[in-house]
Amino acid sequence: MHTGRVRRRGEAQHGRQGLLQRRRAAASAPSRGARALEPARLAVVPGRLRFPTMQRARSFSSMVTAGEQRPEVAGGGGAGDSMATLVLDNGAYNAKIGYSHDRVSVIPNCQFRSKTARLKTFTANQLDEIKDPSGLFYILPFQKGYLVNWDVQRQVWDYLFGKEMYQVDFVDTNIIITEPYFNFGSIQESMNEILFEEYQFQAVLRVNAGALSAHRYFRDNPSELCCIIVDSGYSFTHIVPYCRSKKKKEAIIRINVGGKLLTNHLKEIISYRQLHVMDETHVINQVKEDVCYVSQDFYKDMEIAKLKGEENTVMIDYVLPDFSTIKKGFCKPREEMILSGKYKTGEQILRLTNERFAVPEILFHPSDIGIQEMGIPEAIVYSIQNLPEEMQPHFFKNIVLTGGNTLIPGFRDRVYSEVRCLTPTDYDVSVVLPENPITYSWEGGKLISENDDFEDMVVTREDYEEHGHSICEEKFDI
């Protein structure tokens, strides 16, 4: 009798607690119109990271499909009879993303804060909404080439996978995602947990961007067995030989020079010589892309840059944006340049001479600024010389340039001329610059997703739930 009363009282108490929990859950659930989902809180259990709020992915897909009308987007949604595959080349500066059956989008892989709206954070391509991007503050998920800030990365991914962009239906979607060479095990484990447990993708393929580029190159050139990928990106330049789609780990070289270092060096030079621009990363990055070029004869160009007046063909005047009448900076046409530099208009002018070619020269001679490493051409030759002699001619005639820095005018010609000088005369040298070196690896990912053996390459969610991280270590060659 007494036991029954205690049990009933316990059941009533349990019922009241359940009701309270349900009310709290209902109060804290995001509204249907919420732009982005709250990031999962990390509860640290000794020995393993766990994600208690794993319902996010499911609630998101159900929220989108439960009667809400999906807007038309470039990605075209993931739901369908067959699995959709999302290809994400997750770079340190830009994320290249798109469904395998569709086009690619190049989107900043970071968050921004502007001087004018300090409290508001802009994510990815919301950069276009900032009225005054001067003094723009970057919040980057990558530091020194490795993904370390998961809070920022998660918010960028939430935006990319969410309603405003690709409307990913995780239940029906596989993902191919890139990561750096020799990535840290802890970062790999965190990525597995987020992709499988938090977003709940059906299958994942983690791969190096260079492997995707090599796959694309071999598909375009089926007679070739070897190629060497030169990937010059935001943080690093990697030189990686591939033979029959397998990377030769003993010959991989990393040069610690990338686009970020070039932009920062240009900021320092301009700040020292003309105008304080140390806070204007966004503007100076645009200056770099608009005016810099790779010199084919450094000392000759340096002599030209010293000349006065019309004879100085290197000198250029760059009009800085004021973000009211001039939204984007531009180079003054040669005929409109006033050689004295005294313009009557209210435009703010940067006069650039040897900076134009001295900054990209760091890619070829890092020692110019005290980085005691090889330049790109020397590193290519050194990498190939670490390989068996009978393979070397095949690599010299298949040098493939990828990454944003390779778009600097003159880059390909300089790499070719210097590699040619360092190579035995009986070897052919060929340097290939793809039409779009930034999205080249993404296109390789698109081709891999169409392969017959794609299912054997991925790790499915069932595999991951059964075996954990070990199955990913076995299958993914990072």
Side-chain angles (χ1 to χ4, degrees), residues 160-180:
L160 295 179
F161 301 155
K163 280 198 288 186
E164 295 191 5
M165 290 295 294
Y166 280 88
Q167 303 179 354
V168 179
D169 187 356
F170 301 103
V171 179
D172 285 316
T173 307
N174 307 324
I175 188 167
I176 298 173
I177 189 166
T178 63
E179 58 181 307

Side-chain angles (χ1 to χ4, degrees), residues 17-75:
Q17 283 175 345
L19 184 65
L20 276 169
Q21 282 174 346
R22 284 196 295 276
R23 279 181 183 163
R24 280 197 203 108
S28 63
S31 65
R32 285 166 63 88
R35 276 162 64 92
L37 298 160
E38 287 290 312
R41 292 188 191 88
L42 283 173
V44 180
V45 177
R48 187 154 180 216
L49 279 174
R50 295 299 305 160
F51 293 85
T53 51
M54 290 307 163
Q55 299 304 314
R56 184 166 70 140
R58 259 174 283 170
S59 63
F60 178 63
S61 53
S62 59
M63 194 166 74
V64 169
T65 50
E68 279 200 8
Q69 200 66 35
R70 284 186 179 190
E72 286 287 314
V73 291

Side-chain angles (χ1 to χ4, degrees), residues 439-472:
T439 59
Y440 195 72
S441 54
W442 181 90
E443 288 157 12
K446 176 177 177 161
L447 291 172
I448 280 184
S449 71
E450 294 161 6
N451 276 9
D452 296 335
D453 61 347
F454 178 62
E455 286 181 18
D456 302 328
M457 298 165 75
V458 299
V459 169
T460 64
R461 201 161 98 232
E462 290 74 29
D463 291 341
Y464 177 78
E465 283 167 359
E466 189 176 337
H467 303 286
H469 297 301
S470 58
I471 187 77
C472 298

